[in-house]
Amino acid sequence: MLNKYARAFFTRVLTPFAALLIRLGVSPDAVTLVGTGGVVAGALVFYPLGEFFWGTVVITLFVFSDLVDGNMARQLGRSSRWGAFLDSTLDRVADSAIFGGLALWYAGRGDSLLLCAMAIFCLASGQVVSYTKARGEAIGLPVNVNGLVERAERLVITLVACGLSGLHAFGVPGVEILLPIALWLVAVGSAVTLGQRVVTVRRESAEADAMAQGGTGA
């Protein structure tokens, strides 16, 4: 849901910026690489130190590259399999850095093995959720389901909670509880989404096999 409407809104907002980059001779692949590098740096430098507010500011600035590069490719008429592959692959790298940075915090100064485990679960389940759809499509199935928590929802819930939790360093009381709540929400939502996609792939594969057998029998 967020992925559908947020992308449409920010695509319109960022179109002039994408056009400017094109005029400056910047390639969509360069934007993808720089954006991912910024997210990784923001997550792995700031989050393990407990600097959630500034880490989230840096990450959020670079997250928008995910929309800018696609916008540039469309304006240039250069949408390609390579660009889609690079974008999707580096999305997984960025997501891993965000939850990996949180896991490092909770394994160290955050002093909570439970929340460290939750961050690792969010990291792993997010990767598997993406893999199930990609693998289902690779074997010729439509995988007509998005699920409860897609990548956009995972990022918004986590980054908003991280940013607000970081306000604790500025004297705002009680906000530090938001990040643990967000991790639990993302973990449960990812597990539900994984179940939804697995069930969908199972149903669609059974239907496809039945049609294939029927066609062979005819």
Side-chain angles (χ1 to χ4, degrees), residues 18-97:
L20 173 62
L21 292 177
I22 291 172
R23 289 196 295 273
L24 293 174
V26 179
S27 72
D29 287 352
V31 172
T32 303
L33 290 167
V34 170
T36 302
V39 171
V40 170
L44 296 183
V45 171
F46 290 96
Y47 282 178
L49 298 176
E51 296 286 347
F52 296 128
F53 178 79
W54 293 115
T56 300
V57 169
V58 172
I59 291 168
T60 301
L61 289 175
F62 284 101
V63 157
F64 286 109
S65 67
D66 190 43
L67 300 176
V68 174
D69 56 5
N71 193 311
M72 292 172 65
R74 285 189 293 274
Q75 290 189 47
L76 290 167
R78 290 187 195 165
S79 296
S80 65
R81 291 182 177 87
W82 163 250
F85 169 81
L86 181 66
D87 188 58
S88 179
T89 300
L90 293 185
D91 281 350
R92 307 289 84 77
V93 173
D95 293 356
S96 297

Side-chain angles (χ1 to χ4, degrees), residues 209-218:
D209 290 343
M211 290 180 62
Q213 291 173 3
T216 301

Side-chain angles (χ1 to χ4, degrees), residues 195-210:
Q196 289 176 302
R197 290 191 175 181
V198 168
V199 168
T200 298
V201 170
R202 178 179 173 81
R203 186 189 70 249
E204 290 179 350
S205 62
E207 292 171 353
D209 290 343

Side-chain angles (χ1 to χ4, degrees), residues 18-197:
L20 173 62
L21 292 177
I22 291 172
R23 289 196 295 273
L24 293 174
V26 179
S27 72
D29 287 352
V31 172
T32 303
L33 290 167
V34 170
T36 302
V39 171
V40 170
L44 296 183
V45 171
F46 290 96
Y47 282 178
L49 298 176
E51 296 286 347
F52 296 128
F53 178 79
W54 293 115
T56 300
V57 169
V58 172
I59 291 168
T60 301
L61 289 175
F62 284 101
V63 157
F64 286 109
S65 67
D66 190 43
L67 300 176
V68 174
D69 56 5
N71 193 311
M72 292 172 65
R74 285 189 293 274
Q75 290 189 47
L76 290 167
R78 290 187 195 165
S79 296
S80 65
R81 291 182 177 87
W82 163 250
F85 169 81
L86 181 66
D87 188 58
S88 179
T89 300
L90 293 185
D91 281 350
R92 307 289 84 77
V93 173
D95 293 356
S96 297
I98 291 171
F99 289 107
L102 294 175
L104 288 172
W105 162 252
Y106 284 117
R109 291 167 56 191
D111 194 25
S112 175
L113 290 180
L114 175 60
L115 291 175
C116 175
M118 293 305 300
I120 293 172
F121 180 83
C122 289
L123 187 163
S125 60
Q127 305 300 311
V128 177
V129 164
S130 297
Y131 174 80
T132 52
K133 187 173 181 67
R135 182 58 180 158
E137 291 173 343
I139 60 175
L141 300 175
V143 195
N144 286 323
V145 62
N146 290 320
L148 181 64
V149 176
E150 297 181 80
R151 181 175 187 257
E153 284 84 1
R154 292 197 301 272
L155 285 181
V156 169
I157 292 170
T158 304
L159 293 179
V160 168
C162 280
L164 293 176
S165 293
L167 294 176
H168 177 70
F170 298 94
V172 179
V175 290
E176 63 273 15
I177 192 63
L178 294 175
L179 182 52
I181 291 173
L183 288 176
W184 279 98
L185 287 175
V186 172
V188 172
S190 296
V192 171
T193 303
L194 176 59
Q196 289 176 302
R197 290 191 175 181

